[in-house]
Amino acid sequence: MSQNIIDRFRLDGKTALVTGGAQGIGEAYCFALGEAGAKVAVVDINRTGAEETAHRLEAKGIAAIGLAADVTDPEAVSRMVKTVVDKWGFLTIGVNNAGIGVWQDALLQDYKEWKKILALNLDAVFLCAQSEAQEMVKKGYGKIINTASMSGHICNTPQNQCAYNASKAGVLHLTRSLAAEWAPKNIRVNSISPGYTKTALVDNLLETPEGKIMLPQWLAKIPMGRMGGTDDLQGGVVYLASPASDYMTGADLLIDGGYCCW
Ligand code: NAI
């Protein structure tokens, strides 16, 4: 083993892009990857938010750019990858994280809404991974990390969210499929499945009348007794992005405070 184990977690000389990087989990990933040494492209449909996150990274001495892209648009996804490669020469790490969550009973599920959720949470993950891998094969090395969810493993209760659950289960199996296909090309594809994590996505749901009665029920089901913070996910993304995980592909890191144990 040539390198010290802590050095194998470093990302110096690597470039990363993170979708949904303006806020929440994506923002925490941007800081984690940047603090570990990578240059970071913050990608979001919210241009101002992406640029603000990039400025805050730069203020910490991290090389960063903020990019606007709607990752459900295949042309915008190609442009996003091309911009990173034009700027820094190559792409080492792609974190496909942008996603939305909606509660809806299956009997009332609106089909347009279903398609919107699947388009962002699953289709866009494929589009991003494909564009990223097309660049990574040129260098013969790459790390793709998809954001799945514990909802890809279990069906949350008491809220109903079949479209979200199905989209995240899709991300888990897409991850395994791409991992097997691209392993010979030296591209690793893994996922992280967060449990309930305090971000705007969850805060907005919890502010609704049904959300307010839901929180105690959620907490009762989490063995650790609390929701996660975005910082609880940062170690996982650095591990999967770094040479320390080079023999790991097609795997999912479940970071849920033990929710799926019961
Ligand atoms: P968030 O709502 O705080 O952040 C999502 C970001 O994605 C926002 O900045 C938003 O502008 C961006 N975005 C939305 N649509 C986009 C599009 N079409 N193109 C580009 N960017 C777009 O959400 P949060 O909580 O940070 O979630 C991030 C990911 O983590 C999602 O995939 C979510 O499903 C997943 N997740 C979140 C959990 C939680 O409890 N917060 C639990 C499990 C998974």
Side-chain angles (χ1 to χ4, degrees), residues 70-73 98-100 112-128 163 167:
D70 175 351
V71 292
T72 63
D73 172 358
I100 36 170
K112 265 199 196 142
E113 191 68 29
W114 167 280
K115 287 203 282 195
K116 206 172 114 192
I117 294 165
L118 271 286
L120 179 57
N121 289 9
L122 180 58
D123 299 11
V125 171
F126 170 70
L127 292 174
C128 291
S167 72

Side-chain angles (χ1 to χ4, degrees), residues 19-27 29 43-46 49-50 68-73 96-101 119-121 124-125 147-151 164 167-168 192-204 218 227-228 230 233:
T19 72
Q23 64 179 49
I25 293 170
E27 180 191 14
Y29 285 168
V43 181
D44 208 283
I45 199 166
N46 170 3
D70 175 351
V71 292
T72 63
D73 172 358
N96 306 317
N97 164 78
I100 36 170
L120 179 57
N121 289 9
V125 171
T147 297
S149 169
M150 69 175 181
S151 309
Y164 184 82
S167 72
K168 294 300 187 177
I192 296 177
S193 281
Y196 291 121
T197 308
K198 269 201 77 58
T199 65
L201 180 147
V202 169
D203 285 346
N204 292 339
W218 286 4
M227 286 178 63
T230 55
L233 304 171

Side-chain angles (χ1 to χ4, degrees), residues 86-167:
D86 285 350
K87 184 161 174 70
W88 290 322
F90 56 93
L91 175 70
T92 329
I93 301 154
V95 183
N96 306 317
N97 164 78
I100 36 170
V102 177
W103 297 339
Q104 203 164 40
D105 295 346
L107 287 174
L108 302 171
Q109 176 73 54
D110 177 69
Y111 184 46
K112 265 199 196 142
E113 191 68 29
W114 167 280
K115 287 203 282 195
K116 206 172 114 192
I117 294 165
L118 271 286
L120 179 57
N121 289 9
L122 180 58
D123 299 11
V125 171
F126 170 70
L127 292 174
C128 291
Q130 185 189 44
S131 273
E132 291 154 5
Q134 284 167 350
E135 278 305 322
M136 291 167 177
V137 288
K138 296 178 190 166
K139 286 279 167 195
Y141 185 86
K143 297 278 200 169
I144 293 175
I145 302 155
N146 299 323
T147 297
S149 169
M150 69 175 181
S151 309
H153 296 267
I154 50 88
C155 302
N156 308 56
T157 57
Q159 74 274 23
N160 293 320
Q161 47 180 50
C162 69
Y164 184 82
N165 295 348
S167 72

